[in-house]
Amino acid sequence: MIVLAIDSSSKVATAALIKDDKLLGEITLNEKREHSVILMTIINQLLNVNNLTVNDIDGYVVSKGPGSFTGLRIGMATIKGMSFGSGKPYVSVSSLDALALSVSNFDGFICPIMDALRNSVYTCLYKCCNGKLEKYTEYVALDIDELIDIIKSKNEKVIFIGDGLDKYKDHLIKNCPNCSFPPSHLNLIRASSLGELGINLLKSGDFDDPNSTPFYLKKPQAEREYEEKRMQLKNECNN
């Protein structure tokens, strides 16, 4: 089975081709460029260097979130279009799951964190049990200090991974005992990690519904700001 996996849930744009247990190739760009402009370009580059066409793809994998509202919609629309056009199935995998997979040999809690703005992160707690990642919490958006309190209550070793470390690593070192960090290159979401998780779903026939949508965990910033202004106006009127 040959699978194309992509992720555009953060500022990273990444695509990978996987054939069964072998990574054929991967392109990862960690730049603040428009995903809608570069995503199809890197997909075409991957196919060309591997002498493949879209007709050779047996299935697709895409990040379902959490992450950037616009980025997730672009990634999902891209894969849905390719899936519909080729008649091949697709599955969606959490970007947090993909990050956790990169450090799945850690013998404590694994805590991926993605920047969710306003002093908060998207996160989930995992442990590796018998060689398999297991979730210990739901996917959530938390204030960074609230997450630290949860980690402290576990009283176990923890490794943090993800782009949230760009902003919060020093704060975690200062306030969270027994914490570890991977090499910085692992903090980027990799399409190859998504693909490794997704190909097993595709092989088992656990496909996504064509009408599936990303999960965001937080409302879009514009919607939050609108609600805040409405609440502010309401309070002013009441006063």
Side-chain angles (χ1 to χ4, degrees), residues 66-69 72 114-122 139-143 215-221 223-224:
S68 158
F69 298 95
L72 287 170
M114 298 176 64
D115 185 18
L117 305 179
R118 298 193 176 190
N119 210 46
S120 64
V121 292
Y122 300 120
Y139 306 117
V140 291
L142 290 176
D143 180 272
F215 67 92
Y216 302 113
L217 293 184
K218 295 176 69 174
K219 295 180 179 179
Q221 183 175 350
E223 187 175 340
R224 295 198 305 270

Side-chain angles (χ1 to χ4, degrees), residues 176-205:
C176 192
N178 299 321
C179 65
S180 301
F181 307 94
S184 59
H185 70 277
L186 293 179
N187 289 323
L188 304 182
I189 300 171
R190 300 283 179 176
S192 53
S193 296
L194 280 172
E196 186 172 340
L197 294 168
I199 196 170
N200 293 324
L201 296 174
L202 288 166
K203 287 181 175 179
S204 67

Side-chain angles (χ1 to χ4, degrees), residues 15-59:
L17 282 170
I18 296 173
K19 183 176 183 180
D20 297 320
D21 295 328
K22 180 182 179 181
L23 175 63
L24 297 179
E26 181 174 32
I27 297 175
T28 300
L29 299 178
N30 185 24
E31 300 180 17
K32 293 182 179 179
R33 296 167 61 183
E34 292 292 335
H35 293 329
S36 59
V37 174
I38 62 175
L39 201 52
M40 285 306 303
T41 299
I42 62 177
I43 289 172
N44 287 330
Q45 288 176 343
L46 266 178
L47 291 171
N48 290 337
V49 297
N50 284 280
N51 296 315
L52 297 172
T53 70
V54 173
N55 294 330
D56 296 308
I57 305 301
D58 299 304

Side-chain angles (χ1 to χ4, degrees), residues 132-162:
K132 184 178 180 181
L133 275 176
E134 293 188 6
K135 287 172 54 185
Y136 274 66
T137 66
E138 296 301 314
Y139 306 117
V140 291
L142 290 176
D143 180 272
I144 187 64
D145 289 318
E146 186 178 357
L147 174 60
I148 289 173
D149 288 340
I150 292 172
I151 294 296
K152 284 182 177 179
S153 71
K154 301 296 183 183
N155 197 29
E156 292 190 43
K157 293 189 299 181
V158 61
I159 186 168
F160 292 97
I161 184 172

